[in-house]
Amino acid sequence: MKLSVIIPVYNEAKTILEIIRRVKGIPYEKEIIVVDDCSNDGTADLLRENRAGMTALFHEKNQGKGAAIRTAVPHVTSEITIIQDADLEYHPSEYPRLIAPIVDGVADVVYGSRFQGGTHRVLYFWHSVGNRMITTLSNMLTDLNLSDMETGYKVFNSEVLKKIKIESNRFGFEPEITAKVAKMGCRVYEVPISYWGRDYSEGKKIDWKDGVAALYWIIKFNIFR
Ligand SMILES: Nc1nc2c(ncn2[C@@H]2O[C@H](COP(=O)(O)OP(=O)(O)OP(=O)(O)O)[C@@H](O)[C@H]2O)c(=O)[nH]1
Ligand SMILES: [Mg+2]
């Protein structure tokens, strides 16, 4: 089965070429769709100079991860779509495990969970508490028993993904897609993944405000629709 790998990227000049190299190295037929979201750190130039073997799309102003995925989806031509963050926190060597439930015909959507025993860097305690609260609230409203709603590794049967209208521009994407997948009655699987977390000195951007925003998105997409 062929894979489409969507890479939304904003200001990841240090890692973008390495993540593309890793994706190209996986032994599957695939297409790579990179969406640069008006980076101002040289990421866009790196993509323009190295665009062989991929579709590179460029936003003229910064809009967010959700908007970048919305731009990419119409370019998907294969059966399975993986969202791949452009930092090096999630490793493409996990693809076989991530796609297996879809290849086997039992799942429509697969989430890679950082909290099910895979190798992971030990980082911030309070982030993990926030993460659990966010996943719990989402689960209470979707009635899905996920362990990591906010994971970057989300894999879709492409037909299912194309049916979903993505409204959130920024990190509301994660709660929104989860709410919509639940409403559609998709067959959702979770698999353990490894996580090479980064700290703030290495470029980590997410902070407590994103956690509060996530609570807002969860309520908006599960209740006010
Ligand atoms: N298109 C787009 N992508 C973004 C934006 N902000 C972040 N991203 C990308 O979305 C992915 C996830 O963003 P991250 O900043 O790594 O978010 P995170 O993994 O939740 O948090 P940290 O890695 O801890 O900062 C990465 O590939 C980013 O490059 C944005 O404004 N637009
Ligand atoms: Mg990250």
Side-chain angles (χ1 to χ4, degrees), residues 2-183:
K2 189 174 160 188
L3 300 183
S4 298
V5 181
I6 293 179
I7 309 181
V9 57
Y10 179 60
N11 286 354
E12 307 281 9
K14 286 202 205 91
T15 57
I16 184 66
L17 295 184
E18 174 60 16
I19 195 66
I20 290 167
R21 191 189 68 78
R22 291 182 188 182
V23 173
K24 284 186 172 167
I26 56 152
Y28 293 107
E29 193 189 345
K30 62 199 158 292
E31 62 187 5
I32 302 175
I33 305 167
V34 185
V35 184
D36 175 74
D37 202 21
C38 202
S39 296
N40 54 26
D41 72 339
T43 299
D45 291 335
L46 288 172
L47 288 171
R48 285 198 182 87
E49 289 156 16
N50 296 277
R51 64 200 297 172
M54 63 181 165
T55 302
L57 306 166
F58 298 89
H59 281 174
E60 281 177 12
K61 70 178 209 304
N62 179 252
Q63 297 172 62
K65 181 175 180 179
I69 294 169
R70 185 164 62 235
T71 296
V73 170
H75 295 265
V76 165
T77 65
S78 64
E79 294 97 331
I80 299 181
T81 302
I82 298 188
I83 312 293
Q84 172 69 57
D85 281 3
D87 51 22
L88 301 176
E89 296 188 315
Y90 299 86
H91 201 299
S93 61
E94 315 259 354
Y95 288 2
R97 181 201 293 245
L98 281 162
I99 66 173
I102 299 182
V103 173
D104 293 345
V106 295
D108 304 305
V109 179
V110 180
Y111 281 32
S113 173
R114 297 166 289 177
F115 309 126
Q116 286 190 327
T119 303
H120 58 275
R121 176 168 177 191
V122 174
L123 277 167
Y124 308 105
F125 169 71
W126 289 109
H127 276 229
S128 74
V129 172
N131 230 307
R132 269 166 230 277
M133 283 169 54
I134 288 164
T135 291
T136 301
L137 180 64
S138 173
N139 286 348
M140 285 165 71
L141 298 174
T142 58
D143 200 18
L144 284 177
N145 185 22
L146 290 170
S147 67
D148 189 7
M149 187 276 287
E150 291 279 3
T151 178
Y153 263 160
K154 294 186 168 74
V155 187
F156 301 87
N157 173 322
S158 302
E159 272 177 36
V160 169
L161 182 60
K162 281 175 184 271
K163 278 192 201 136
I164 299 176
K165 185 167 166 252
I166 301 168
E167 295 161 72
S168 323
N169 284 339
R170 295 194 178 274
F171 292 121
F173 169 76
E174 319 289 359
E176 176 185 4
I177 207 90
T178 305
K180 292 185 173 173
V181 156
K183 276 207 183 111

